[in-house]
């Protein structure tokens, strides 16, 4: 409701609609989120936004590019959750990353998509890029370790998952990290 009220105050600004879309995405209301993202995209492509854009700039990046990146990432996440095809999911996530190459969340989201589509090497590449930006994030090491595990690279999985533990991950991840470390030891011995 607050995002709608904010939008009503200035309907030329797509940001409240983007934030409402993100909120709906987190609430697993994917189709409603897609509608918000597409509505925000339409506003960005409009003439009113173009005139307003001439006045705005944020941290050296155009506001339009930041909004577009958020929209494409949100669409990609929704399409992934709804089981859309690989190309549609990754195309949107690629567009987001092209607009904001240093956004760790976008890289993590695309890595998750690659992982879900069993493209483990591509997932690892995105996670390595995320680690180069934020080498202290235990969640990135955790996801990276899961990719090594899924790729049957058990020694690397053990090392990376232990690194995640060293970086103090969320408590909710610890059981799964230990589980995959244990499985990696078992599989390493079994398939050595």
């Amino acid at each position: 409701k607050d995002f709608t009220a904010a939008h009503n105050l200035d309907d030329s600004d797509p940001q409240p609609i983007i934030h409402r879309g993100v909120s709906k995405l987190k609430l697993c209301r994917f189709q409603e989120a897609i509608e918000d993202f597409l509505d925000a995209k339409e506003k960005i492509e409009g003439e009113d936004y173009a005139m307003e854009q001439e006045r705005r700039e944020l941290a050296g990046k155009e506001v339009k590019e930041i909004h577009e990146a958020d929209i494409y990432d949100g669409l990609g996440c929704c399409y992934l959750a709804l089981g859309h095809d690989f190309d549609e999911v990754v195309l949107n996530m690629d567009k987001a990353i092209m607009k904001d190459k240093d956004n760790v969340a976008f890289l993590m989201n695309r890595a998750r998509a690659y992982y879900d589509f069993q493209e483990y090497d591509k997932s690892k590449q995105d996670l390595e890029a995320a680690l180069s930006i934020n080498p202290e994030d235990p969640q990135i090491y955790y996801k990276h370790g899961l990719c090594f595990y899924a790729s049957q690279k058990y020694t690397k999985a053990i090392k990376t998952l232990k690194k995640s533990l060293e970086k103090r991950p969320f408590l909710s991840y610890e059981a799964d990290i230990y589980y995959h470390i244990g499985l990696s030891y078992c599989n390493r011995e079994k398939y050595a």
Side-chain angles (χ1 to χ4, degrees):
K1 293 179 184 179
D2 290 341
F3 293 125
T4 302
H7 173 66
N8 290 338
L9 291 173
D10 179 7
D11 67 353
S12 68
D13 185 3
Q15 193 166 12
I17 301 295
I18 294 168
H19 289 304
R20 187 174 67 190
V22 170
S23 294
K24 289 178 180 176
L25 170 63
K26 290 181 181 189
L27 292 169
C28 299
R29 294 165 50 185
F30 304 117
Q31 200 57 50
E32 292 175 41
I34 290 170
E35 291 169 15
D36 280 345
F37 292 131
L38 292 176
D39 183 30
K41 186 175 180 224
E42 187 177 304
K43 287 191 180 313
I44 287 174
E45 294 166 352
E47 194 174 304
D48 292 342
Y49 185 82
M51 291 185 329
E52 182 67 21
Q53 175 61 27
E54 291 176 13
R55 299 183 317 111
R56 296 182 182 184
E57 201 169 292
L58 180 65
K61 294 183 181 179
E62 291 186 18
V63 174
K64 180 179 180 183
E65 287 184 8
I66 294 169
H67 287 163
E68 286 175 334
D70 290 338
I71 290 167
Y72 287 125
D73 182 65
L75 286 170
C77 289
C78 288
Y79 293 149
L80 178 64
L82 291 171
H84 286 228
D85 73 355
F86 175 81
D87 291 334
E88 186 174 23
V89 170
V90 173
L91 175 68
N92 280 284
M93 292 180 171
D94 286 347
K95 288 179 180 179
I97 291 169
M98 285 178 11
K99 300 279 182 195
D100 191 354
K101 291 175 180 36
D102 295 329
N103 190 310
V104 172
F106 295 168
L107 289 165
M108 296 274 296
N109 289 339
R110 189 172 68 181
R112 185 186 73 224
Y114 283 137
Y115 183 90
D116 288 355
F117 286 106
Q118 299 179 350
E119 296 279 344
Y120 303 121
D121 289 336
K122 290 180 181 179
S123 182
K124 285 185 273 189
Q125 288 174 357
D126 277 351
L127 293 167
E128 287 162 9
L131 281 170
S132 72
I133 297 165
N134 186 1
E136 298 302 315
D137 188 336
Q139 182 180 352
I140 301 171
Y141 286 101
Y142 167 59
K143 304 288 183 179
H144 203 205
L146 292 180
C147 281
F148 284 124
Y149 177 81
S151 306
Q152 299 179 345
K153 296 181 177 154
Y154 301 116
T155 301
K156 288 183 179 181
I158 293 165
K159 180 180 174 188
T160 308
L161 290 168
K162 284 183 175 183
K163 184 85 166 181
S164 176
L165 288 173
E166 290 171 15
K167 302 286 182 184
R168 320 266 272 138
F170 296 126
L171 187 58
S172 60
Y173 289 166
E174 284 188 13
D176 195 56
I177 293 170
Y178 283 115
Y179 173 76
H180 281 91
I181 289 172
L183 285 177
S184 294
Y185 275 116
C186 289
N187 285 319
R188 186 176 70 172
E189 298 300 318
K190 185 176 179 181
Y191 297 109

